Structures are given as structure tokens and as C-alpha cells.
Amino acid sequence: MRLQRVPLLASVVVLLAAACSTTDHDGAAPPTSTAPMTAVTTPATTAPATAAPSAAGGWRVTYGWAVPSAPARVAHTVKVPVTPAPGEPLPVLVQIQVGDHPAEGFSRISFAFRGPTPSYQAGYVAQVESDGTGTPVSLPGDTFLSVRFDPAQAHDRSGRSTVHAPPPAIGYPTLRGWAAAGDFEGHLSFGLGVRTSSEPLPVRLGESTRPDGTHVVSVDVRRG
């Protein structure tokens, strides 16, 4: 019996296919070069809205595709402190990731928390402003999304940032960039810059839990 050899080219193709996975199970790209996010110590405000969750496997939709002209809010009960002192009293943001999904027609930014999932909300605003000061937050695009978490923080007990994040300029077709807008007294907020052709684009919110117990909140924006 003659042994058959697997062509070298076929082996290379298999290895390349395994190496070209660009997203993790959260649907966001693994960070290639990350930088700590500078904590912004300004107070935050709240806004009313509701959203009914629906199951979708390990990753679940909490706000289906729609245009949140009023903030869409997903509530979670968080008992504080979440860990006894000297641990963190609130859920702590540890990572921001982004990922593009051309085949599915959306782009995603994900926020990963150590500790329980905080309540969160997202909605279109005329201008994203720094909490407390009201200073406009610079963002690319022509439409802006405000994303808020509570109770949550993005710093440790010494005030140092806990977040590893991609560069603020995302550069996807519609999801163009992000920026921090507040981290103070249990309120954490961000702005997303979106480019549209005319009307605001539909948005979807979802949640997942990683094998290490990290809780992830995802914001999806239609690509067009």
C-alpha cells in the first residue's frame, strides 16, 4: 500500500484559515494594540427608558434593532459593594473591544466588566457632553450615540484606569469612533460617533458572559 502525502499547499491553507479569525465569541476583534483609558472624574446624569430582553443562546439580545431616539435602558440589580473591601465596590470596566461584521451587516463595540453586569442605556443625542461640565466630546461622524452604565467604574482604588481599549478612531463604515464622557460616583458614560447617509441607524444591544466570568455588554450599529 502506498502512503499518500498531503500537498504542502493544502496544509498552508488550513493553517492560514485557523489564523485568520478576526473576532472572539463576543463578536469583537481581539485587541492588537491596546492602551489604558484615562478615567474622567465628572458626575453623570440618568435618563428614562425600558427594553425587554429576549434569549439568543449564550449571547442574548436585550434591545432589538431599532432607533433609540429616547435612551433604551436595560436594568440590572447590583448589590453594592460587589466585593468586600479592599475589593472594588462596583462592577469594573476592564476592556473595550470593536469588531466589524460585513456579512451580518453591523459593527460592534463591546464593554467587558469584572463583577456583575451593571444597568446600561444607549440613545441618540444631538451632542455627547462630558458629564458635569457639559463640555462637548469630540467624535467623528454626523450622528452621536450616548452609552451609559450604572453602577460602574473604570478606575481602581488609587484612581488608575482599569480599561484596555482600542484607539478612539474605529473607522468602520458607519461606526466611526468612541470617546469617554464620564467616570464618577458610580456612573460611567461614553460617546459613539456614527456616520449616516440621512436618518439615524438602527441599534441593537446584547449581553454575554465569557468563560472567565467577565460580563460583556455589546452595542451594534447597522453598517448602512
Side-chain angles (χ1 to χ4, degrees):
M1 180 179 67
R2 298 180 60 186
L3 296 177
Q4 293 183 341
R5 296 181 178 179
V6 178
L8 177 60
L9 179 59
S11 300
V12 173
V13 170
V14 171
L15 291 173
L16 287 175
C20 289
S21 175
T22 57
T23 59
D24 61 15
H25 76 286
D26 299 319
T32 53
S33 60
T34 59
M37 183 193 74
T38 302
V40 181
T41 56
T42 49
T45 58
T46 58
T50 58
S54 61
W59 181 85
R60 68 185 188 112
V61 175
T62 55
Y63 176 78
W65 288 115
V67 176
S69 53
R73 183 170 176 84
V74 180
H76 288 284
T77 300
V78 177
K79 294 182 179 180
V80 296
V82 297
T83 56
E88 296 97 346
L90 306 176
V92 177
L93 181 67
V94 295
Q95 189 178 57
I96 298 174
Q97 289 181 276
V98 296
D100 197 26
H101 299 259
E104 293 86 357
F106 69 89
S107 298
R108 171 172 293 178
I109 182 167
S110 296
F111 302 85
F113 290 88
R114 181 172 64 242
T117 306
S119 297
Y120 55 93
Q121 62 186 48
Y124 282 109
V125 293
Q127 174 71 58
V128 176
E129 299 178 344
S130 295
D131 295 330
T133 65
T135 304
V137 175
S138 178
L139 288 164
D142 52 42
T143 308
F144 309 107
L145 271 168
S146 172
V147 181
R148 297 175 178 270
F149 301 93
D150 66 275
Q153 63 187 57
H155 60 274
D156 60 20
R157 295 177 65 87
S158 299
R160 295 184 297 259
S161 174
T162 57
V163 186
H164 288 278
I170 299 173
Y172 294 152
T174 55
L175 184 56
R176 305 297 294 172
W178 69 275
D183 177 14
F184 187 69
E185 293 187 348
H187 295 271
L188 187 58
S189 59
F190 296 88
L192 305 182
V194 179
R195 182 171 67 187
T196 65
S197 56
S198 56
E199 299 296 324
L201 296 168
V203 171
R204 180 177 64 179
L205 306 178
E207 300 176 9
S208 62
T209 303
R210 294 175 179 170
D212 65 358
T214 305
H215 295 283
V216 181
V217 175
S218 302
V219 180
D220 298 340
V221 178
R222 284 291 190 197
R223 292 177 98 249

